[in-house]
Amino acid sequence: SAVISQKPSRDICQRGTSLTIQCQVDSQVTMMFWYRQQPGQSLTLIATANQGSEATYESGFVIDKFPISRPNLTFSTLTVSNMSPEDSSIYLCSVDGGRVPVKSTDTQYFGPGTRLTVL
Amino acid sequence: GENVEQHPSTLSVQEGDSAVIKCTYSDSASNYFPWYKQELGKGPQLIIDIRSNVGEKKDQRIAVTLNKTAKHFSLHITETQPEDSAVYFCASKRGGSYIPTFGRGTSLIVHP
């Protein structure tokens, strides 16, 4: 398994502002992902964070709204830009269990989440 | 794309009873099926998984069964305890894909 930490654990923000969420993993992993979980809902993939290149976004999510960085194999950030109340969600960092150089083990592990409320 | 249906959405049982959550999938190329438990205020935690070359897998009080022909898989929890109360998500993933498809979740409530 992987030990994943996220900061902040929760935040309350004003509309129009931006928040950057950090994700730190305890080992070098090939694949990192960002998910959104709206209240009472399932998990929706926002993007795959690629080390050394631009993130790969899923349909409905764009880089201008959710810029992602991945400067190395253990760290990634997700920014929620120009927030509105509809962005109130739990944001989850996830990693595949594959440790570099293994690309994937099929299994995904999740961080504790960042609970965002936008007023 | 893959579609995963999960039932029931809510399950209420008495402590000591068994609980069963069922999922169906649509992509016959799916070959990996994990189950996650999400407690209130926490991230999803992998509790058990099964691959398509196996029909059943057990880990203490939890078990997962897979019927590839019918394209459904189930989570079985025996001797439920109040600490089993959580939201459970099933997922499926096809070979060669890095992204699983998740079910909508089942809220399990175990009454003491």
Side-chain angles (χ1 to χ4, degrees):
Chain A
S1 65
V3 178
I4 306 168
S5 60
Q6 284 184 235
K7 287 196 292 188
S9 59
R10 59 179 64 244
D11 208 340
I12 300 173
C13 301
Q14 297 297 320
R15 68 172 67 210
T17 62
S18 299
L19 176 72
T20 296
I21 303 167
Q22 298 180 2
C23 176
Q24 180 73 53
V25 192
D26 68 337
S27 56
Q28 293 185 334
V29 294
T30 310
M31 310 288 289
M32 291 183 77
F33 310 91
W34 286 98
Y35 284 82
R36 182 174 73 182
Q37 185 178 28
Q38 295 180 304
Q41 301 297 312
S42 188
L43 307 167
T44 302
L45 180 66
I46 297 172
T48 301
N50 301 310
Q51 195 267 330
S53 64
E54 202 168 276
T56 304
Y57 290 84
E58 297 299 303
S59 176
F61 297 96
V62 295
I63 188 172
D64 290 347
K65 176 68 176 177
F66 297 101
I68 288 170
S69 79
R70 189 170 174 199
N72 57 52
L73 293 169
T74 64
F75 185 79
S76 178
T77 67
L78 168 74
T79 299
V80 187
S81 302
N82 188 24
M83 290 184 285
S84 67
E86 293 71 36
D87 294 320
S88 297
S89 285
I90 300 172
Y91 291 87
L92 293 156
C93 174
S94 172
V95 305
D96 186 287
R99 302 295 202 274
V100 172
V102 174
K103 188 151 193 182
S104 175
T105 62
D106 287 330
T107 307
Q108 284 199 3
Y109 300 95
F110 288 87
T114 295
R115 281 144 189 83
L116 171 62
T117 301
V118 184
L119 302 177
Chain B
E2 171 75 294
N3 184 45
V4 176
E5 298 282 341
Q6 183 172 346
H7 299 281
S9 57
T10 305
L11 180 58
S12 184
V13 300
Q14 288 296 128
E15 182 177 1
D17 288 350
S18 294
V20 180
I21 303 170
K22 300 180 180 180
C23 289
T24 60
Y25 61 98
S26 60
D27 188 349
S28 56
S30 293
N31 62 4
Y32 176 67
F33 308 90
W35 285 89
Y36 291 86
K37 175 184 181 182
Q38 186 174 26
E39 296 175 284
L40 195 62
K42 298 184 178 180
Q45 178 189 6
L46 178 73
I47 56 172
I48 196 167
D49 56 9
I50 192 168
R51 298 185 184 274
S52 58
N53 58 346
V54 180
E56 183 176 3
K57 184 176 178 181
K58 289 183 179 179
D59 183 2
Q60 300 184 333
R61 294 186 298 108
I62 61 174
V64 56
T65 58
L66 171 65
N67 183 325
K68 284 179 60 180
T69 303
K71 293 189 209 164
H72 67 71
F73 56 112
S74 300
L75 178 71
H76 304 254
I77 306 174
T78 59
E79 300 173 24
T80 54
Q81 302 166 3
E83 50 266 39
D84 294 329
S85 296
V87 178
Y88 291 80
F89 292 97
C90 65
S92 73
K93 193 158 77 71
R94 67 180 302 165
S97 170
Y98 303 117
I99 313 299
T101 300
F102 289 88
R104 297 175 65 88
T106 297
S107 177
L108 173 64
I109 303 166
V110 181
H111 299 281

